[in-house]
Amino acid sequence: MHVVIMAGGAGVRLRPYTSTLPKPLVPIGENYAILEIILRQLAARGFTHVTLAINHLGSLIRAFVGDGSRFGLVVRYAEEREPLSTIGPLFNLRDELPEHFLVMNGDVLTDLDYADLLATHRLSGAPLTVATYRRTVKIDFGVLELEGDKISSFSEKPVLDYRVSMGVYGLSRSTIAGYPAGMPFGFDELVLDLLRRGEPPAGYAFDGYWLDIGRPEDYDEANRCFAEVEPMLLPARAPSAV
């Protein structure tokens, strides 16, 4: 099984941590970088091949991961000469990817079963399968709806319940076949394009542990609770080398 990890972002929201380290290498707990956790999880779920799309401080990622053998993986690199957003790097890799593969951000902390997501995508026939997570947000104000200058409804501090993308998804090579190599293209653009074409993506609902290490407060939360969630996130034994 093959996975492409998007690890080329500059991590602007996580500065100053990412001023000297790429976001996938920021430390979690006392012993791990977040990318190391992801690679160990993938190996434990039966993945064998990883492509790391790198750009910002990519040489540090190469030095840390190497050929992947210490994680029980075969790792290759795709270096962006210019930012290609979250889907664009795949357009240059099409000929090297299997028909169905996993794509994920390099800053996701979760106990999602990556292999089950990919298997579900393969069987679904959907062009794209998005892992989704439930979020609940309380609005601390009274919310008004207006028609013209008249209030038509009022809700006092409503609670909004919705599902968000986890930054992990199953994708088919045929889905991206028509896009030109080298074109910057985001995940949001792909979803909207598929909807316009009448080819809706599938959702993969997940309600376990998930934290996107995108902001300083999220990073601080990950470190605060890591000792508690470490047994859930990491396999008991490191995988054997391939």
Side-chain angles (χ1 to χ4, degrees), residues 10-12 14-23 26 56-57 60:
V12 173
L14 204 57
R15 288 176 180 168
Y17 303 111
T18 51
S19 297
T20 56
L21 280 176
K23 186 163 55 170
V26 295
H56 175 66
L57 300 176
L60 296 181

Side-chain angles (χ1 to χ4, degrees), residues 125-208:
L128 171 72
T129 301
V130 183
T132 69
Y133 194 81
R134 185 180 303 278
R135 283 292 196 194
T136 300
V137 176
K138 181 179 179 182
I139 307 299
D140 291 328
F141 304 95
V143 175
L144 307 171
E145 292 187 12
L146 285 81
E147 295 181 2
D149 61 351
K150 305 294 184 182
I151 294 174
S152 58
S153 70
F154 172 78
S155 299
E156 176 62 19
K157 297 181 180 178
V159 174
L160 305 181
D161 188 39
Y162 54 94
R163 300 201 74 91
V164 300
S165 169
M166 293 173 58
V168 186
Y169 28 96
L171 187 60
S172 299
R173 190 175 57 199
S174 56
T175 302
I176 58 173
Y179 299 101
M183 180 178 73
F185 205 69
F187 168 76
D188 56 334
E189 294 173 289
L190 178 62
V191 171
L192 292 172
D193 201 26
L194 290 172
L195 291 173
R196 281 192 294 267
R197 286 154 46 183
E199 302 174 17
Y204 181 94
F206 176 72
D207 294 308

Side-chain angles (χ1 to χ4, degrees), residues 186-237:
F187 168 76
D188 56 334
E189 294 173 289
L190 178 62
V191 171
L192 292 172
D193 201 26
L194 290 172
L195 291 173
R196 281 192 294 267
R197 286 154 46 183
E199 302 174 17
Y204 181 94
F206 176 72
D207 294 308
Y209 179 81
W210 173 67
L211 192 60
D212 181 350
I213 314 300
R215 303 172 301 172
E217 55 264 40
D218 299 323
Y219 178 58
D220 291 342
E221 171 65 14
N223 279 291
R224 186 193 64 79
C225 68
F226 185 72
E228 177 183 345
V229 301
E230 180 181 356
M232 175 177 60
L233 294 175
L234 287 167
R237 294 186 302 173

Side-chain angles (χ1 to χ4, degrees), residues 69-86:
S69 58
R70 71 186 178 99
F71 302 106
L73 297 164
V74 175
V75 174
R76 66 174 299 273
Y77 298 87
E79 188 161 3
E80 302 174 30
R81 301 303 178 187
E82 57 186 27
L84 297 175
S85 194
T86 48

